[in-house]
């Protein structure tokens, strides 16, 4: 039996496999993989939609939102999945109150969306209020790989007999849901996936049919969990599937799912990614907006309804459609420039949105020239042109703009710009010509 | 010949009374598409510039013989709009709307597959399909396409679809059909669905396929091209310089876990005998060269 702890232990407390290693999501997944924590587990599996990886903190409209552990656990609890008694705390006093309510011993866990929090000292066992005070005091405000710890999760420590892994996500190739379950959960699940893929039992679930009781039982049997865990696992997997589907999550993962010495099955961690496209039917998600972490440029852009990702170059880029914007980055790089950002105004952008986009780019001190690349479909080039003119009146532009307009209402759009052509507004006929001109202004690498 | 749509396609627009629906629906009609009906339960009996509005798709099918639907309904209503279209009796459903929840897509795709296997869904979050000179359904600006040609186009990205049409048209190369499949997690129509139809279409001599980083749809398409296609395929993959791990907007466009990189896709496509353009401008030139070689 492994002694303890909310899925993670600091050195000296446990068997070798656990010492100093965080729970799976500390160890790896948010940093390195697009697919939960099981990179390499399923070669046929696509990354969960919108999974955000290390350093990419952008949360874009229509994208995905990664929940903190405590938010995931609270969500699981709402679907009846057993989680440890606990609470989130932003001060030492709150942490002590949470520990008193949860019952000692407790685990104090830093709430950050970055790997390695266990190794960084962000997860500690506390046997009494004084220890909670000490550890919470140290952990709150700690910097873990550039992430400031603003909250801790304090929960009753669990005794662990066995650790399992369970998750649901979308297999984009099969166009079906994929469930994965393993008797060998815990921090090494990625390695299990790579070295012993047969140790992970997988099922495809037809989204039109849902998950049947017989299917769950067959799946649990295939995973060869301890028979004593069967009923508990079946119950949790059904509830996790409901949380996955009704909760509109891209990923619902428990690692580890534990069996306790008194034969209870219990979720000791929670990893949940929400599909932001479903926000309209989840008013309860409003609370997550305040805790999402992103850089200031990205937050400002998101508030204006823009899909923005900050990069390090000198050419500010605005385009419509992710593919065209990526391809604009490509062509700028190919002619010797560097992109300062990815900014997709999306489909159907009007003048004000375009003006806002220019304003966001203009506020980036690295930008030396701006490339506006629009191919109108649902977006109308005359509205884009009006947005450019609006921005020129509203914003003190620090950099020249090179503009390429094609597609819907392009003739009208070019005519609007024609009256404003200057050193700061340069029309270009093609994407390649525009790239060359903008890079000539911004300078090469 | 062409794929999916032609002169005989009769289209009902779900959402024709909205601002986007009416702009693009009427634009499609001006292009020559048979825009035979719109739907809106509250406005049945009225018309949008002569296009009759019905309460349901079933009514529109019965009264006008519509056999395709184009959906401009806001995202929350798309799932029920798709089911209404299938129940109403159309065989081709194009969903332009973006921002549809992934679980909705997964469900209606599989329900259609189970209950309406003859129905072809395109999208969501796609620009639609155009057979130049015959039928344009969706938001593709028809004037950039050139009729009477033999090049088929399939693309995951909307705006790059237009770019590819534009590049070919500039060179005087016409298109048989151009399909934007969209970049959502569960696209109704895949690359392979289109490639197999282009391979079978006598009017198509060569194909342009435009992919993006992320996922493995391009790798699967490469395998199909290698084993099943005899017609030449010119490809472009967007996001060749995107930093790993950065999600670039499309739900599908992310590099992760070493899979789905531009390099992996390009290498698979080259291995399948495809020409691979470095940027969208090169697509036209490579295709012109292919067609010259025959």
């Amino acid at each position: 039996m492994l002694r303890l702890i909310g899925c993670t232990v600091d050195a000296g407390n446990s068997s070798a496999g656990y010492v100093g290693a965080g729970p799976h999501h500390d160890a790896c997944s948010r940093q390195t993989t697009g697919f939960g924590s099981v990179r390499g587990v399923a070669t046929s599996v696509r990354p969960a939609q919108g999974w955000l990886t290390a350093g990419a903190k952008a949360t874009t409209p229509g994208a995905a939102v990664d929940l903190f552990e405590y938010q995931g656990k609270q969500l699981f609890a709402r679907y009846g999945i057993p989680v440890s008694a606990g609470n989130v705390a932003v001060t030492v006093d709150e942490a002590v109150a949470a520990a008193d309510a949860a019952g000692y011993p407790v685990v104090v866990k830093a709430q950050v969306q970055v790997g390695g929090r266990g190794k960084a000292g962000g997860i500690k066992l506390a046997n009494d209020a004084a220890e909670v005070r000490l550890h919470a005091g140290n952990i709150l405000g700690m910097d873990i790989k550039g992430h400031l710890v603003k909250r801790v999760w304090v929960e009753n420590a669990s005794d662990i007999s066995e650790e399992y892994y369970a998750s649901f996500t979308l297999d984009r190739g099969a166009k079906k849901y994929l469930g994965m379950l393993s008797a060998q959960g815990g921090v090494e699940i990625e390695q299990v996936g790579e070295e012993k893929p047969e140790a992970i039992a997988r099922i495809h679930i037809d989204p039109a049919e849902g998950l049947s009781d017989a299917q769950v039982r067959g799946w649990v049997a295939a995973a060869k969990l301890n028979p004593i865990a069967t009923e508990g696992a079946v119950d949790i997997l059904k509830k996790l599937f409901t949380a996955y589907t009704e909760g509109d999550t891209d990923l619902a993962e428990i690692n580890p799912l534990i069996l306790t010495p008194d034969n209870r099955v219990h979720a000791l961690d929670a990893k949940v990614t929400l599909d932001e496209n479903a926000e309209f039917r989840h008013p309860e998600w409003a609370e997550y907006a305040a805790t999402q972490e992103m850089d200031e440029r990205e937050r400002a852009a998101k508030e204006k309804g823009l899909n923005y990702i900050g990069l390090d170059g000198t050419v500010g880029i605005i385009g419509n459609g992710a593919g065209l914007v990526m391809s604009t980055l490509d062509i700028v790089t190919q002619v010797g420039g560097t992109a300062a950002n990815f900014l997709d105004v999306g489909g159907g952008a009007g003048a004000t949105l375009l003006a806002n986009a220019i304003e966001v780019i203009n506020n980036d001190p690295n930008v030396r020239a701006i490339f506006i690349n629009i191919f109108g479909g649902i977006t109308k080039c005359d509205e884009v042109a009006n947005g450019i003119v609006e921005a020129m009146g509203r914003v003190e532009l620090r950099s020249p703009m090179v503009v390429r307009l094609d597609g819907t209402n392009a003739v009208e759009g070019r005519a609007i710009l024609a009256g404003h052509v200057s050193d700061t507004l340069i029309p270009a006929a093609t994407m390649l010509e525009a790239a060359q001109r903008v890079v000539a202004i911004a300078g090469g690498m | 010949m062409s794929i999916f749509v032609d002169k005989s396609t009769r289209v009902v627009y779900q959402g024709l009374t909205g601002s986007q629906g009416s702009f693009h629906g009427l634009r499609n009609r001006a292009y020559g598409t048979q825009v035979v009906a719109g739907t809106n339960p509250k406005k049945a009996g009225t018309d949008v510039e002569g296009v009759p509005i019905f309460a349901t798709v079933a009514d529109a099918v019965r009264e006008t013989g519509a056999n395709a639907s184009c959906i401009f309904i806001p995202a929350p209503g798309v799932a029920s709009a798709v089911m209404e279209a299938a129940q109403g009796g159309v065989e081709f459903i194009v969903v332009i709307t973006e921002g549809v929840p992934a679980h909705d897509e997964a469900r209606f795709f599989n329900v259609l597959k189970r209950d309406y296997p003859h129905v072809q869904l395109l999208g969501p979050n796609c620009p639609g399909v155009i057979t130049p000179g015959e039928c344009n359904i969706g938001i593709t600006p028809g004037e950039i396409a050139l009729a009477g040609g033999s090049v088929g186009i399939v693309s995951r990205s909307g705006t790059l679809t237009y770019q590819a049409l534009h590049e070919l048209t500039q060179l005087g190369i016409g298109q048989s059909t151009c399909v934007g499949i969209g970049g959502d997690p569960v696209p109704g129509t895949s690359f392979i669905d289109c490639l197999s139809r282009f391979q079978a279409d006598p009017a198509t001599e060569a194909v342009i396929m435009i992919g993006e980083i992320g996922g493995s749809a391009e790798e699967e398409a490469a395998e199909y091209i290698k084993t099943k296609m005899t017609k030449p395929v010119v490809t472009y993959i967007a996001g060749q310089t995107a930093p790993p791990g950065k999600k670039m907007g499309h739900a599908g466009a992310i590099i992760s876990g070493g899979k789905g990189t531009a390099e992996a896709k390009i290498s698979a496509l080259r291995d399948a005998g495809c020409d691979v353009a470095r940027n969208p401008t090169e697509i036209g030139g490579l295709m012109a060269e292919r067609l010259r070689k025959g």
Side-chain angles (χ1 to χ4, degrees), chain A residues 32-34 39-40 43 46-47 49-53 55-56 60 63-64 170 172-173 175-177 206-209 244-245 248-250 275 277-278 280-281 298 307 309-311 320-324 326-327 329-331 333-334 342 346-348 375-378 380 404 406-409 431-432, chain B residues 20 23-24 27 72 75-76 96 98-104 106-107 109-111 113-114 139 141 143-144 157 159-160 162-163 166 183-190 193 212-213 215-216 220 236-243 245-254 256-257 259 278-281:
Chain A
T32 56
T33 133
R39 178 169 51 131
T43 52
R46 311 303 153 249
Q49 178 197 13
W51 190 256
L52 301 179
T53 52
T60 57
L170 176 71
R172 296 172 70 143
K175 298 183 175 181
K176 290 193 168 13
Y177 299 142
D206 187 333
E209 304 290 343
Y244 169 63
T245 52
D248 275 307
T249 74
D250 287 343
D275 173 11
N277 282 345
F280 65 85
R281 58 190 172 207
E298 287 167 354
N307 183 353
I309 296 168
L311 302 169
N320 63 319
L324 184 69
M326 283 194 286
S327 133
L329 262 60
D330 291 351
I331 206 161
T333 306
Q334 282 161 10
F342 169 101
F375 208 120
I378 205 159
K380 297 162 192 154
R404 177 272 188 150
D406 261 314
T408 306
N409 297 354
M431 194 165 153
L432 182 60
Chain B
Q20 293 289 359
F23 179 83
H24 293 282
R27 202 151 157 257
F72 276 100
I96 306 300
E98 63 179 311
V100 177
H103 284 285
D104 288 3
R107 277 188 290 262
F109 175 85
N110 284 286
V111 170
K113 198 172 144 195
R114 183 189 65 195
I139 60 176
E143 66 274 13
I144 60 172
S157 149
T159 38
L160 284 176
Y162 314 148
Q163 185 70 41
H166 181 70
D184 268 13
V186 189
T189 294
S190 68
D193 292 331
E212 280 176 8
I213 53 169
S216 64
E220 286 151 21
Y236 167 68
I237 302 294
Q240 296 174 19
T241 55
K246 293 268 186 180
K247 178 179 158 18
M248 291 289 179
H250 269 188
I254 178 170
S256 60
K259 292 198 186 77
R278 285 181 308 147
N279 57 60
T281 305

Side-chain angles (χ1 to χ4, degrees), chain A residues 364-408:
Chain A
D364 182 344
N366 293 332
V367 169
R368 295 209 287 261
I370 300 172
F371 183 174
I372 301 177
N373 190 11
I374 303 292
F375 208 120
I378 205 159
T379 305
K380 297 162 192 154
C381 289
D382 53 338
E383 292 191 9
V384 169
N386 283 329
I388 292 170
V389 172
E390 182 188 324
M392 290 170 77
R394 184 174 97 189
V395 181
E396 195 175 328
L397 284 171
R398 298 182 303 102
S399 318
M401 300 186 288
V402 178
V403 183
R404 177 272 188 150
L405 299 178
D406 261 314
T408 306

Side-chain angles (χ1 to χ4, degrees), chain A residues 80-82 216-217 229-240:
Chain A
I81 296 169
V216 183
R217 290 189 178 277
T230 299
E231 291 309 315
V234 165
D235 182 58
I236 288 178
L237 289 168
K238 283 155 74 173
K239 288 170 173 162
L240 185 64

